[in-house]
Amino acid sequence: MAKSKIAFVCNDCGADYGKWQGQCTECSAWNTVTEIRLGPAATARGRRSAREGYAGSRAEIRVLKDIDLVQVPRFGSGFAELDRVLGGGLVPGSAILIGGHPGAGKSTLLLQALCHLAVGGAALYVTGEESPQQVAMRADRLGLPVDKLQLMAETEVDAIISAAEEKRPRVLVVDSIQVMHSEGITSAPGSVSQVRDCAAQLTRYAKQSGVVLILVGHVTKDGSLAGPKVLEHMIDCSILLEGDQDSRFRTLRSSKNRFGAVNELGVFAMTDRGMREVKNPSAIFLDRAEDPAPGTTVMVVWEGTRPLLVEIQALVDDSSLGNPRRVAVGFEQNRLAMLLAVLHRHGGIMVGDQDVFANVVGGVRVTETSADLALLVAVVSSLKNRVLARDLVVFGEVGLSGEIRPVPSGQERLGEAAKHGFRRAIVPRANMPKQPIDGLDVVGVGRLADVLQALF
Ligand code: TYD
Ligand code: MG
């Protein structure tokens, strides 16, 4: 009889160890290393499939130039926003991982997409978390076409694969990968070895059969994918559905995509009729109060392939603490501290004894440096209690020596601002448009001091 193997694996990052230890040396997490037993069945099956896959017919070696460039045939998911994030639609044989907090709307979004896809070809929805009745009730309430979608409540991967082999769907959704288990592995569902093995089996099946595999994944409190990081290596596309519980807007962002650009942003709204696409996100994030208050301004961020107008707010207040607070919601805290230091040294404005709170309106998360200038302008506006013009947009990166650095796609950003009725823009000098833009008065600036002089 084959001996079963024992391994010690970190539940967070998937690192392997020969013996147990309290802290994972790879990711520094405590108490995450657990013992797992790799069943003999799994190793035997692994060996067999490896033999079947590779022996006999070795793939031929060719020069890159000789390979036919057939266009990857894609098909739409029914949601233009989702298709854009995926790089232009679903690619047969690809594996997509969609992550998000509980309640973000992953199941709703996929159910809606799949009900519409099922009309044009077979689609299989595997639910491991909800009962068939719950899924059917939701589809009914959302008024989705329910007569074609195939539904299966199953958590056993081999059963799912054999069902898929029988029904031959174009798209297979597995909700969620954390509750799946495989016969050969004895550890609990959701543990590293289970998730890894189940995902590997499913992606292998997707590659062989050409089905589009969509895996739903849960995320932990800090926003990273629960379970092993190794999952991200197996799949072709990793997208994250994000949004505050109290905001109805959800953003979809890809962090890895083998078939398109990353950091494309798709915007959805959770309504009582399910997820709705937001076609013109700038208009929504800009839903502003009639009379503007000090401390708010509008910036143009660049998301994937399009500009987005977002409002940024700052509140500066006398601090009662020895160590004043710096709180940033929607962008990086350290960047806020750094920019305030630049403001002091190169703008001559001291906020060392003030609490500074900054917020990006609408729950958008800005990862771009083009928000720097708008943030500082909002801070100064709040500090001096001076209202900024409603029709002003500001963008630009701020360097450590107080210089205003150019950002990519300046022309397109200004075009978007003009389209939404803005009349004045303060931008880095190198981003000045070659031709004047209709109705927009653009001011190019080189140093932080120039900006403060122009505005305050
Ligand atoms: P769900 O898709 O179940 O989230 P996930 O699968 O990511 O955990 O979405 C659940 C949330 O969405 C739930 O809190 C209720 C809300 N919701 C609506 O507001 N409207 C709707 O039409 C639906 C179906 C859900
Ligand atoms: Mg769900």
Side-chain angles (χ1 to χ4, degrees):
M1 216 184 89
K3 250 197 331 197
S4 63
K5 270 193 183 162
I6 289 178
F8 294 87
V9 178
C10 169
N11 272 325
D12 274 5
C13 70
D16 276 297
Y17 297 99
K19 61 180 172 51
W20 187 84
Q21 55 193 61
Q23 186 185 24
C24 172
T25 7
E26 286 294 317
C27 68
S28 315
W30 284 94
N31 294 329
T32 53
V33 178
T34 49
E35 175 181 329
I36 59 165
R37 212 173 290 273
L38 304 164
T43 31
R45 191 180 52 225
R47 249 183 269 125
R48 192 172 62 242
S49 62
R51 218 174 24 241
E52 278 161 10
Y54 309 122
S57 63
R58 204 188 69 185
E60 63 178 306
I61 296 172
R62 288 185 292 175
V63 180
L64 217 47
K65 175 173 139 298
D66 301 337
I67 296 171
D68 311 332
L69 294 178
V70 274
Q71 271 294 311
V72 190
R74 292 172 184 261
F75 57 95
S77 65
F79 281 117
E81 295 284 302
L82 176 60
D83 290 346
R84 211 209 8 261
V85 174
L86 290 174
L90 303 165
V91 181
S94 64
I96 300 159
L97 178 69
I98 165 162
H101 292 283
K106 305 176 294 292
S107 307
T108 309
L109 181 70
L110 291 174
L111 183 66
Q112 281 177 270
L114 226 57
C115 278
H116 290 290
L117 277 170
V119 176
L124 178 62
Y125 186 98
V126 178
T127 167
E129 297 184 347
E130 291 165 280
S131 72
Q133 284 78 14
Q134 280 173 312
V135 177
M137 260 161 53
R138 179 183 297 175
D140 185 55
R141 196 164 49 76
L142 299 181
L144 298 172
V146 288
D147 38 358
K148 287 281 169 41
L149 180 65
Q150 291 161 341
L151 184 69
M152 184 187 192
E154 179 61 73
T155 54
E156 225 289 328
V157 172
D158 302 274
I160 293 168
I161 291 178
S162 72
E165 260 162 2
E166 190 185 313
K167 299 284 182 203
R168 289 265 152 212
R170 263 200 313 170
V171 187
L172 168 66
V173 169
V174 176
D175 187 0
S176 67
I177 189 67
Q178 270 90 10
V179 300
M180 294 297 143
H181 65 96
S182 167
E183 264 178 1
I185 307 256
T186 52
S187 58
S191 65
V192 166
S193 52
Q194 283 288 6
V195 171
R196 186 162 53 181
D197 196 63
C198 294
Q201 280 190 54
L202 287 165
T203 39
R204 202 181 312 130
Y205 170 70
K207 296 273 174 290
Q208 283 165 1
S209 65
V211 66
V212 179
L213 171 70
I214 305 181
L215 300 173
V216 175
H218 293 217
V219 296
T220 54
K221 241 188 284 145
D222 62 352
S224 64
L225 206 74
K229 265 271 180 233
V230 282
L231 204 57
E232 294 188 6
H233 294 289
M234 281 182 223
I235 43 124
D236 298 309
C237 223
S238 169
I239 53 184
L240 203 59
L241 186 64
E242 297 172 297
D244 269 346
Q245 281 296 357
D246 13 298
S247 144
R248 58 197 186 94
F249 296 109
R250 303 282 188 270
T251 55
L252 199 61
R253 203 189 281 269
S254 73
S255 59
K256 165 183 177 174
N257 192 349
R258 287 186 181 148
F259 305 108
V262 290
N263 286 329
E264 215 28 282
L265 185 81
V267 184
F268 291 89
M270 176 61 96
T271 67
D272 53 348
R273 306 293 317 274
M275 295 282 264
R276 287 267 173 280
E277 290 179 272
V278 176
K279 292 268 160 55
N280 187 359
S282 289
I284 294 206
F285 294 125
L286 274 186
D287 193 8
R288 308 176 72 190
E290 269 313 306
D291 37 291
T296 72
T297 188
V298 173
M299 62 185 170
V300 199
V301 293
W302 189 257
E303 287 294 347
T305 54
R306 65 176 173 180
L308 188 65
L309 287 160
V310 222
E311 191 178 340
I312 184 163
Q313 294 184 316
L315 179 69
V316 180
D317 191 21
D318 288 340
S319 179
S320 55
L321 305 171
N323 206 353
R325 275 182 290 184
R326 271 89 183 85
V327 180
V329 181
F331 48 74
E332 218 194 323
Q333 188 111 356
N334 288 339
R335 191 133 195 119
L336 173 63
M338 186 185 95
L339 289 170
L340 293 178
V342 176
L343 183 65
H344 182 210
R345 280 297 303 274
H346 301 285
I349 293 178
M350 229 281 274
V351 287
D353 52 353
Q354 309 274 325
D355 286 333
V356 179
F357 305 92
N359 176 36
V360 183
V361 177
V364 191
R365 202 163 43 81
V366 178
T367 49
E368 245 203 330
T369 53
S370 73
D372 291 357
L373 190 56
L375 175 64
L376 285 186
V377 165
V379 166
V380 178
S381 159
S382 173
L383 181 75
K384 294 191 181 279
N385 210 20
R386 291 266 296 274
V387 176
L388 292 165
R390 251 181 90 83
D391 57 1
L392 170 78
V393 286
V394 180
F395 64 84
E397 177 177 333
V398 177
L400 282 185
S401 57
E403 79 279 22
I404 310 296
R405 297 170 164 272
V407 294
S409 314
Q411 187 84 25
E412 288 86 344
R413 293 180 204 242
L414 289 170
E416 178 82 358
K419 204 171 83 192
H420 284 85
F422 287 86
R423 295 280 160 267
R424 265 186 88 196
I426 294 190
V427 303
R429 192 166 290 142
N431 280 123
M432 283 292 282
K434 304 249 166 11
Q435 268 102 38
I437 295 175
D438 249 4
L440 193 68
D441 174 22
V442 185
V443 180
V445 287
R447 306 205 49 88
L448 183 59
D450 303 344
V451 184
L452 298 177
Q453 201 173 22
L455 283 177
F456 301 102

